Amino acid sequence: DGLSESRYQWTYSTSPEGTRSNIAGATSASFTPDINSAQFSNTGTYYIFRNASLSSSNNVNPNPYVATNESDPAVLKVKAKPNTPVASNNGPVCVGSTLNLFASTVEGATYSWTGPNGFTSAIQNPEVSTNTNTTMAGTYSVTATVNACTSVVASTNVVVNTAFNWTGATNTDWNNTANWNCNSLPTLETNVFIPANFVPHNSHLHK
């Protein structure tokens, strides 16, 4: 008789026999660690203990009776997030051409891509299509996962042009892919748009 309800205090240490530190507010029978809290915000291994105490109101003087028990440790390993991959694509691309996505290498990582029209891929540098259409334009996102830890999301925006547009971004050479908005050369059968004020000199297209 006279026994009080059990009281709890969760503690942690960075080694099994190390100094215990109280976890603020962790006084319930159960406890879920938050890796965003100050004590677990650094990478490393943590040992978490539940300390239970039970006292009796029938034995208070001169020394109240208090029974205590410390649990075996639960081990929490906090790992660093992988580096965020750099996402890119080979666009702008034109309708009917090939669309490729690229993610920079993160050592030991697996990759997960998502994008328009329910696109998914586990390949680092996937080929979306060899016959691109305008519905494939938009944002493609990728993450890298290492040892069950997933990076911050990286994204790349794909632009799909409906026709070849001359930009002349580099020079007046029609056979330079950098001068076309699709980063590829049109053929003699391809419809192209040339600005009215552009007059090429000694230019020609190859089949």
Side-chain angles (χ1 to χ4, degrees), residues 89-100 127-134 136 140 158-164 181-186 190:
N89 66 82
N90 65 323
V93 295
C94 278
V95 168
S97 61
T98 298
L99 171 59
N100 295 104
E127 181 180 83
V128 178
S129 176
T130 58
N131 187 24
T132 304
N133 61 59
T134 55
M136 297 174 186
Y140 290 77
V158 169
V159 175
V160 179
N161 294 313
T162 57
F164 280 82
N181 68 329
C182 294
N183 290 324
S184 59
L185 294 178
T190 304

Side-chain angles (χ1 to χ4, degrees), residues 63-151:
N63 297 309
Y65 173 77
V66 178
T68 60
N69 174 262
E70 181 181 76
S71 69
D72 291 332
V75 180
L76 171 66
K77 292 186 177 181
V78 179
K79 302 175 183 177
K81 280 189 174 184
N83 292 331
T84 303
V86 177
S88 60
N89 66 82
N90 65 323
V93 295
C94 278
V95 168
S97 61
T98 298
L99 171 59
N100 295 104
L101 303 174
F102 308 99
S104 60
T105 298
V106 177
E107 186 175 356
T110 58
Y111 296 84
S112 177
W113 283 94
T114 59
N117 304 316
F119 173 80
T120 61
S121 178
I123 300 173
Q124 179 181 353
N125 301 315
E127 181 180 83
V128 178
S129 176
T130 58
N131 187 24
T132 304
N133 61 59
T134 55
T135 68
M136 297 174 186
T139 300
Y140 290 77
S141 301
V142 62
T143 57
T145 299
V146 180
N147 295 326
C149 293
T150 300
S151 71

